Amino acid sequence: MSDEPKAKKNKGGGMKMILLIVIAMVIGGAGAAGGLYAAGFFSPKDEGPKEDPNKPVLVLAGESAEEIAKAHAVPHGEGAAAAHGAHGKGIDLPAPANPAAYQASYFQLQTPFTSNMSDTDAFAQISVAVSTYYDLRVIDAIKTHEMAIRSQVLMMLAQQPEETLSTPQGKQMLQSKIKGIINDILKQKTGYGGVDNVYFTNFVIQ
């Protein structure tokens, strides 16, 4: 009889100890969960900025620039507006590190550029072609905005002295300037450049 209350007391003390351990585990678990939550463990994954569907893509050797452009086509009017709004002045598309692995596309501007020189009565007549390693959307953009391109190129051409354009270095400088003008207009109009090089298919000063 005398041992029974003592047994009950011991049993009660054991239950309290278990209860305290469980509470401690719950509190500890909650603290750990709070720490993980604060660290973003339970937050939705940050997927980063989505790729712009209007952005031209590089064309691998053997692929069709036209088919690649069709595969990435977006509804009419959405692409250029979205790209221009997202990028403001637009961005340059980088040249591939290994050009041999990609397919170059060429486009000849049909009408030559004809302009007087800045320092003589002579005039220059220049036929221009361009190349790109990106899909056909770059060339389509050149066709669409050819008037703006022609205007800027002719204004620049009229500022060049005959002596400069008569030298190989002067012609290389002109190539670089024309490339810059075309890419700048494409960036303004579509959000992206993409022209890799400019070629002279005819160059006459007379």
Side-chain angles (χ1 to χ4, degrees):
M1 291 289 291
S2 61
D3 292 339
E4 188 175 341
K6 187 176 180 181
K8 286 184 179 180
K9 184 176 180 182
N10 289 341
K11 187 177 179 181
M15 289 298 292
K16 286 181 180 179
M17 182 63 68
I18 292 171
L19 187 60
L20 288 172
I21 292 171
V22 170
I23 291 172
M25 289 175 66
V26 170
I27 293 173
L36 290 171
Y37 183 83
F41 187 79
F42 298 111
S43 301
K45 295 289 185 182
D46 185 6
E47 297 178 355
K50 292 184 178 179
E51 187 74 9
D52 191 329
N54 188 63
K55 181 181 178 181
V57 297
L58 288 166
V59 180
L60 291 170
E63 291 184 334
S64 167
E66 184 176 2
E67 293 302 319
I68 296 295
K70 286 180 180 178
H72 290 80
V74 295
H76 181 71
E78 290 183 11
H84 186 67
H87 300 288
K89 294 182 179 179
I91 62 172
D92 286 309
L93 296 176
N98 179 20
Y102 298 93
Q103 180 69 47
S105 297
Y106 299 90
F107 174 66
Q108 171 84 52
L109 279 75
Q110 295 303 311
T111 307
F113 294 89
T114 303
S115 174
N116 293 327
M117 300 287 90
S118 65
D119 58 345
T120 69
D121 293 333
F123 68 89
Q125 186 174 75
I126 302 168
S127 296
V128 171
V130 301
S131 68
T132 179
Y133 287 104
Y134 287 84
D135 65 63
L136 206 62
R137 285 174 289 180
V138 174
I139 291 175
D140 285 343
I142 293 172
K143 294 176 182 178
T144 300
H145 303 292
E146 184 173 351
M147 285 306 208
I149 291 169
R150 294 190 65 82
S151 176
Q152 290 294 320
V153 170
L154 286 172
M155 285 194 292
M156 181 272 295
L157 193 56
Q159 298 171 4
Q160 307 307 312
E162 179 184 3
E163 184 178 353
T164 299
L165 297 189
S166 298
T167 66
Q169 293 80 8
K171 290 180 174 66
Q172 290 175 353
M173 175 270 298
L174 187 63
Q175 280 179 307
S176 178
K177 286 188 175 183
I178 294 175
K179 174 186 170 182
I181 286 172
I182 295 174
N183 278 327
D184 283 347
I185 289 175
L186 294 188
K187 287 187 291 183
Q188 292 168 15
K189 303 295 186 181
T190 72
Y192 300 100
V195 171
D196 176 71
N197 210 345
V198 166
Y199 305 91
F200 295 135
T201 56
N202 190 45
F203 200 114
V204 176
I205 297 177
Q206 60 184 30

PDB file of all heavy atoms in Angstrom, residues 91-116:
ATOM      1  N   ILE A  91      19.912  45.412 -77.921  1.00  0.00           N
ATOM      2  CA  ILE A  91      21.193  44.817 -77.563  1.00  0.00           C
ATOM      3  C   ILE A  91      21.874  44.226 -78.789  1.00  0.00           C
ATOM      4  O   ILE A  91      21.228  43.827 -79.749  1.00  0.00           O
ATOM      5  CB  ILE A  91      21.020  43.724 -76.489  1.00  0.00           C
ATOM      6  CG1 ILE A  91      20.156  42.577 -77.021  1.00  0.00           C
ATOM      7  CG2 ILE A  91      20.427  44.286 -75.210  1.00  0.00           C
ATOM      8  CD1 ILE A  91      20.100  41.385 -76.101  1.00  0.00           C
ATOM      9  N   ASP A  92      23.193  44.180 -78.723  1.00  0.00           N
ATOM     10  CA  ASP A  92      23.978  43.529 -79.766  1.00  0.00           C
ATOM     11  C   ASP A  92      23.971  42.030 -79.523  1.00  0.00           C
ATOM     12  O   ASP A  92      24.123  41.570 -78.388  1.00  0.00           O
ATOM     13  CB  ASP A  92      25.428  44.041 -79.745  1.00  0.00           C
ATOM     14  CG  ASP A  92      25.549  45.448 -80.307  1.00  0.00           C
ATOM     15  OD1 ASP A  92      25.038  45.673 -81.426  1.00  0.00           O
ATOM     16  OD2 ASP A  92      26.139  46.307 -79.645  1.00  0.00           O
ATOM     17  N   LEU A  93      23.793  41.267 -80.579  1.00  0.00           N
ATOM     18  CA  LEU A  93      23.912  39.813 -80.473  1.00  0.00           C
ATOM     19  C   LEU A  93      25.370  39.440 -80.689  1.00  0.00           C
ATOM     20  O   LEU A  93      25.978  39.848 -81.680  1.00  0.00           O
ATOM     21  CB  LEU A  93      23.022  39.127 -81.521  1.00  0.00           C
ATOM     22  CG  LEU A  93      21.526  39.372 -81.359  1.00  0.00           C
ATOM     23  CD1 LEU A  93      20.752  38.732 -82.505  1.00  0.00           C
ATOM     24  CD2 LEU A  93      21.030  38.844 -80.023  1.00  0.00           C
ATOM     25  N   PRO A  94      25.967  38.685 -79.784  1.00  0.00           N
ATOM     26  CA  PRO A  94      27.405  38.393 -79.884  1.00  0.00           C
ATOM     27  C   PRO A  94      27.739  37.488 -81.060  1.00  0.00           C
ATOM     28  O   PRO A  94      26.962  36.606 -81.428  1.00  0.00           O
ATOM     29  CB  PRO A  94      27.702  37.694 -78.548  1.00  0.00           C
ATOM     30  CG  PRO A  94      26.393  37.100 -78.142  1.00  0.00           C
ATOM     31  CD  PRO A  94      25.336  38.048 -78.612  1.00  0.00           C
ATOM     32  N   ALA A  95      28.899  37.727 -81.648  1.00  0.00           N
ATOM     33  CA  ALA A  95      29.394  36.840 -82.711  1.00  0.00           C
ATOM     34  C   ALA A  95      29.796  35.511 -82.081  1.00  0.00           C
ATOM     35  O   ALA A  95      30.278  35.479 -80.946  1.00  0.00           O
ATOM     36  CB  ALA A  95      30.587  37.480 -83.416  1.00  0.00           C
ATOM     37  N   PRO A  96      29.594  34.400 -82.780  1.00  0.00           N
ATOM     38  CA  PRO A  96      29.966  33.098 -82.201  1.00  0.00           C
ATOM     39  C   PRO A  96      31.471  32.973 -82.006  1.00  0.00           C
ATOM     40  O   PRO A  96      32.256  33.479 -82.815  1.00  0.00           O
ATOM     41  CB  PRO A  96      29.445  32.092 -83.236  1.00  0.00           C
ATOM     42  CG  PRO A  96      29.346  32.863 -84.511  1.00  0.00           C
ATOM     43  CD  PRO A  96      29.011  34.266 -84.126  1.00  0.00           C
ATOM     44  N   ALA A  97      31.871  32.296 -80.932  1.00  0.00           N
ATOM     45  CA  ALA A  97      33.298  32.103 -80.656  1.00  0.00           C
ATOM     46  C   ALA A  97      33.954  31.203 -81.691  1.00  0.00           C
ATOM     47  O   ALA A  97      35.137  31.351 -81.998  1.00  0.00           O
ATOM     48  CB  ALA A  97      33.478  31.519 -79.255  1.00  0.00           C
ATOM     49  N   ASN A  98      33.167  30.272 -82.241  1.00  0.00           N
ATOM     50  CA  ASN A  98      33.683  29.350 -83.260  1.00  0.00           C
ATOM     51  C   ASN A  98      32.809  29.453 -84.504  1.00  0.00           C
ATOM     52  O   ASN A  98      31.894  28.642 -84.708  1.00  0.00           O
ATOM     53  CB  ASN A  98      33.691  27.913 -82.722  1.00  0.00           C
ATOM     54  CG  ASN A  98      34.207  26.921 -83.762  1.00  0.00           C
ATOM     55  OD1 ASN A  98      34.893  27.305 -84.711  1.00  0.00           O
ATOM     56  ND2 ASN A  98      33.864  25.656 -83.597  1.00  0.00           N
ATOM     57  N   PRO A  99      33.064  30.431 -85.377  1.00  0.00           N
ATOM     58  CA  PRO A  99      32.199  30.659 -86.543  1.00  0.00           C
ATOM     59  C   PRO A  99      32.033  29.428 -87.438  1.00  0.00           C
ATOM     60  O   PRO A  99      30.987  29.252 -88.074  1.00  0.00           O
ATOM     61  CB  PRO A  99      32.905  31.799 -87.295  1.00  0.00           C
ATOM     62  CG  PRO A  99      33.722  32.488 -86.251  1.00  0.00           C
ATOM     63  CD  PRO A  99      34.162  31.420 -85.311  1.00  0.00           C
ATOM     64  N   ALA A 100      33.050  28.575 -87.491  1.00  0.00           N
ATOM     65  CA  ALA A 100      32.981  27.404 -88.368  1.00  0.00           C
ATOM     66  C   ALA A 100      31.857  26.450 -87.972  1.00  0.00           C
ATOM     67  O   ALA A 100      31.411  25.636 -88.792  1.00  0.00           O
ATOM     68  CB  ALA A 100      34.315  26.665 -88.367  1.00  0.00           C
ATOM     69  N   ALA A 101      31.396  26.537 -86.740  1.00  0.00           N
ATOM     70  CA  ALA A 101      30.338  25.643 -86.268  1.00  0.00           C
ATOM     71  C   ALA A 101      28.944  26.148 -86.635  1.00  0.00           C
ATOM     72  O   ALA A 101      27.953  25.453 -86.389  1.00  0.00           O
ATOM     73  CB  ALA A 101      30.437  25.460 -84.755  1.00  0.00           C
ATOM     74  N   TYR A 102      28.875  27.335 -87.240  1.00  0.00           N
ATOM     75  CA  TYR A 102      27.577  27.941 -87.524  1.00  0.00           C
ATOM     76  C   TYR A 102      27.422  28.268 -89.010  1.00  0.00           C
ATOM     77  O   TYR A 102      28.391  28.385 -89.749  1.00  0.00           O
ATOM     78  CB  TYR A 102      27.392  29.205 -86.670  1.00  0.00           C
ATOM     79  CG  TYR A 102      27.411  28.891 -85.192  1.00  0.00           C
ATOM     80  CD1 TYR A 102      28.593  28.960 -84.465  1.00  0.00           C
ATOM     81  CD2 TYR A 102      26.258  28.490 -84.535  1.00  0.00           C
ATOM     82  CE1 TYR A 102      28.618  28.634 -83.107  1.00  0.00           C
ATOM     83  CE2 TYR A 102      26.271  28.168 -83.183  1.00  0.00           C
ATOM     84  CZ  TYR A 102      27.454  28.241 -82.489  1.00  0.00           C
ATOM     85  OH  TYR A 102      27.483  27.926 -81.156  1.00  0.00           O
ATOM     86  N   GLN A 103      26.163  28.426 -89.411  1.00  0.00           N
ATOM     87  CA  GLN A 103      25.820  28.689 -90.804  1.00  0.00           C
ATOM     88  C   GLN A 103      25.648  30.186 -91.026  1.00  0.00           C
ATOM     89  O   GLN A 103      24.802  30.822 -90.400  1.00  0.00           O
ATOM     90  CB  GLN A 103      24.513  27.962 -91.159  1.00  0.00           C
ATOM     91  CG  GLN A 103      24.056  28.157 -92.589  1.00  0.00           C
ATOM     92  CD  GLN A 103      24.974  27.463 -93.570  1.00  0.00           C
ATOM     93  OE1 GLN A 103      25.329  26.307 -93.384  1.00  0.00           O
ATOM     94  NE2 GLN A 103      25.371  28.163 -94.617  1.00  0.00           N
ATOM     95  N   ALA A 104      26.454  30.754 -91.916  1.00  0.00           N
ATOM     96  CA  ALA A 104      26.312  32.175 -92.259  1.00  0.00           C
ATOM     97  C   ALA A 104      25.264  32.335 -93.360  1.00  0.00           C
ATOM     98  O   ALA A 104      25.205  31.534 -94.292  1.00  0.00           O
ATOM     99  CB  ALA A 104      27.644  32.751 -92.704  1.00  0.00           C
ATOM    100  N   SER A 105      24.438  33.370 -93.221  1.00  0.00           N
ATOM    101  CA  SER A 105      23.475  33.725 -94.261  1.00  0.00           C
ATOM    102  C   SER A 105      23.871  35.081 -94.831  1.00  0.00           C
ATOM    103  O   SER A 105      24.287  35.973 -94.090  1.00  0.00           O
ATOM    104  CB  SER A 105      22.055  33.803 -93.685  1.00  0.00           C
ATOM    105  OG  SER A 105      21.636  32.541 -93.205  1.00  0.00           O
ATOM    106  N   TYR A 106      23.716  35.229 -96.154  1.00  0.00           N
ATOM    107  CA  TYR A 106      24.132  36.456 -96.837  1.00  0.00           C
ATOM    108  C   TYR A 106      22.929  37.118 -97.492  1.00  0.00           C
ATOM    109  O   TYR A 106      21.996  36.450 -97.946  1.00  0.00           O
ATOM    110  CB  TYR A 106      25.196  36.151 -97.893  1.00  0.00           C
ATOM    111  CG  TYR A 106      26.457  35.557 -97.317  1.00  0.00           C
ATOM    112  CD1 TYR A 106      26.601  34.174 -97.176  1.00  0.00           C
ATOM    113  CD2 TYR A 106      27.512  36.370 -96.883  1.00  0.00           C
ATOM    114  CE1 TYR A 106      27.754  33.622 -96.636  1.00  0.00           C
ATOM    115  CE2 TYR A 106      28.661  35.821 -96.343  1.00  0.00           C
ATOM    116  CZ  TYR A 106      28.772  34.448 -96.216  1.00  0.00           C
ATOM    117  OH  TYR A 106      29.913  33.903 -95.670  1.00  0.00           O
ATOM    118  N   PHE A 107      22.984  38.443 -97.523  1.00  0.00           N
ATOM    119  CA  PHE A 107      21.913  39.197 -98.169  1.00  0.00           C
ATOM    120  C   PHE A 107      22.498  40.405 -98.880  1.00  0.00           C
ATOM    121  O   PHE A 107      23.250  41.186 -98.290  1.00  0.00           O
ATOM    122  CB  PHE A 107      20.883  39.660 -97.130  1.00  0.00           C
ATOM    123  CG  PHE A 107      19.828  40.561 -97.699  1.00  0.00           C
ATOM    124  CD1 PHE A 107      18.911  40.086 -98.630  1.00  0.00           C
ATOM    125  CD2 PHE A 107      19.745  41.889 -97.308  1.00  0.00           C
ATOM    126  CE1 PHE A 107      17.933  40.919 -99.162  1.00  0.00           C
ATOM    127  CE2 PHE A 107      18.779  42.729 -97.822  1.00  0.00           C
ATOM    128  CZ  PHE A 107      17.864  42.240 -98.756  1.00  0.00           C
ATOM    129  N   GLN A 108      22.151  40.526-100.144  1.00  0.00           N
ATOM    130  CA  GLN A 108      22.607  41.651-100.968  1.00  0.00           C
ATOM    131  C   GLN A 108      21.530  42.725-100.999  1.00  0.00           C
ATOM    132  O   GLN A 108      20.392  42.454-101.403  1.00  0.00           O
ATOM    133  CB  GLN A 108      22.888  41.175-102.397  1.00  0.00           C
ATOM    134  CG  GLN A 108      23.169  42.296-103.396  1.00  0.00           C
ATOM    135  CD  GLN A 108      24.615  42.754-103.372  1.00  0.00           C
ATOM    136  OE1 GLN A 108      25.522  41.945-103.470  1.00  0.00           O
ATOM    137  NE2 GLN A 108      24.818  44.058-103.265  1.00  0.00           N
ATOM    138  N   LEU A 109      21.864  43.935-100.546  1.00  0.00           N
ATOM    139  CA  LEU A 109      20.940  45.047-100.719  1.00  0.00           C
ATOM    140  C   LEU A 109      20.899  45.388-102.204  1.00  0.00           C
ATOM    141  O   LEU A 109      21.953  45.655-102.807  1.00  0.00           O
ATOM    142  CB  LEU A 109      21.373  46.258 -99.890  1.00  0.00           C
ATOM    143  CG  LEU A 109      20.990  46.208 -98.394  1.00  0.00           C
ATOM    144  CD1 LEU A 109      21.888  45.237 -97.616  1.00  0.00           C
ATOM    145  CD2 LEU A 109      21.078  47.596 -97.767  1.00  0.00           C
ATOM    146  N   GLN A 110      19.708  45.362-102.781  1.00  0.00           N
ATOM    147  CA  GLN A 110      19.589  45.370-104.234  1.00  0.00           C
ATOM    148  C   GLN A 110      20.048  46.673-104.894  1.00  0.00           C
ATOM    149  O   GLN A 110      20.695  46.659-105.924  1.00  0.00           O
ATOM    150  CB  GLN A 110      18.133  45.082-104.638  1.00  0.00           C
ATOM    151  CG  GLN A 110      17.662  43.693-104.246  1.00  0.00           C
ATOM    152  CD  GLN A 110      18.546  42.603-104.832  1.00  0.00           C
ATOM    153  OE1 GLN A 110      18.847  42.605-106.022  1.00  0.00           O
ATOM    154  NE2 GLN A 110      18.984  41.668-103.995  1.00  0.00           N
ATOM    155  N   THR A 111      19.738  47.796-104.294  1.00  0.00           N
ATOM    156  CA  THR A 111      20.067  49.086-104.912  1.00  0.00           C
ATOM    157  C   THR A 111      21.379  49.622-104.367  1.00  0.00           C
ATOM    158  O   THR A 111      21.562  49.692-103.147  1.00  0.00           O
ATOM    159  CB  THR A 111      18.951  50.111-104.645  1.00  0.00           C
ATOM    160  OG1 THR A 111      17.708  49.561-105.055  1.00  0.00           O
ATOM    161  CG2 THR A 111      19.212  51.406-105.397  1.00  0.00           C
ATOM    162  N   PRO A 112      22.321  50.025-105.234  1.00  0.00           N
ATOM    163  CA  PRO A 112      23.596  50.580-104.754  1.00  0.00           C
ATOM    164  C   PRO A 112      23.377  51.904-104.014  1.00  0.00           C
ATOM    165  O   PRO A 112      22.374  52.598-104.200  1.00  0.00           O
ATOM    166  CB  PRO A 112      24.391  50.818-106.048  1.00  0.00           C
ATOM    167  CG  PRO A 112      23.722  49.976-107.079  1.00  0.00           C
ATOM    168  CD  PRO A 112      22.285  49.913-106.694  1.00  0.00           C
ATOM    169  N   PHE A 113      24.346  52.238-103.173  1.00  0.00           N
ATOM    170  CA  PHE A 113      24.363  53.535-102.489  1.00  0.00           C
ATOM    171  C   PHE A 113      25.189  54.494-103.337  1.00  0.00           C
ATOM    172  O   PHE A 113      26.354  54.218-103.628  1.00  0.00           O
ATOM    173  CB  PHE A 113      24.980  53.404-101.100  1.00  0.00           C
ATOM    174  CG  PHE A 113      24.176  52.556-100.155  1.00  0.00           C
ATOM    175  CD1 PHE A 113      24.382  51.186-100.089  1.00  0.00           C
ATOM    176  CD2 PHE A 113      23.216  53.131 -99.332  1.00  0.00           C
ATOM    177  CE1 PHE A 113      23.650  50.404 -99.218  1.00  0.00           C
ATOM    178  CE2 PHE A 113      22.474  52.355 -98.462  1.00  0.00           C
ATOM    179  CZ  PHE A 113      22.683  50.986 -98.407  1.00  0.00           C
ATOM    180  N   THR A 114      24.598  55.624-103.711  1.00  0.00           N
ATOM    181  CA  THR A 114      25.295  56.608-104.534  1.00  0.00           C
ATOM    182  C   THR A 114      25.271  57.956-103.825  1.00  0.00           C
ATOM    183  O   THR A 114      24.200  58.444-103.440  1.00  0.00           O
ATOM    184  CB  THR A 114      24.647  56.749-105.925  1.00  0.00           C
ATOM    185  OG1 THR A 114      24.626  55.458-106.549  1.00  0.00           O
ATOM    186  CG2 THR A 114      25.431  57.710-106.792  1.00  0.00           C
ATOM    187  N   SER A 115      26.470  58.552-103.640  1.00  0.00           N
ATOM    188  CA  SER A 115      26.536  59.825-102.915  1.00  0.00           C
ATOM    189  C   SER A 115      27.744  60.622-103.370  1.00  0.00           C
ATOM    190  O   SER A 115      28.775  60.057-103.748  1.00  0.00           O
ATOM    191  CB  SER A 115      26.630  59.568-101.414  1.00  0.00           C
ATOM    192  OG  SER A 115      26.836  60.789-100.713  1.00  0.00           O
ATOM    193  N   ASN A 116      27.621  61.957-103.325  1.00  0.00           N
ATOM    194  CA  ASN A 116      28.765  62.830-103.549  1.00  0.00           C
ATOM    195  C   ASN A 116      29.730  62.710-102.377  1.00  0.00           C
ATOM    196  O   ASN A 116      29.335  62.375-101.260  1.00  0.00           O
ATOM    197  CB  ASN A 116      28.321  64.290-103.677  1.00  0.00           C
ATOM    198  CG  ASN A 116      27.507  64.526-104.939  1.00  0.00           C
ATOM    199  OD1 ASN A 116      27.739  63.891-105.959  1.00  0.00           O
ATOM    200  ND2 ASN A 116      26.546  65.434-104.846  1.00  0.00           N
TER     201      ASN A 116
END
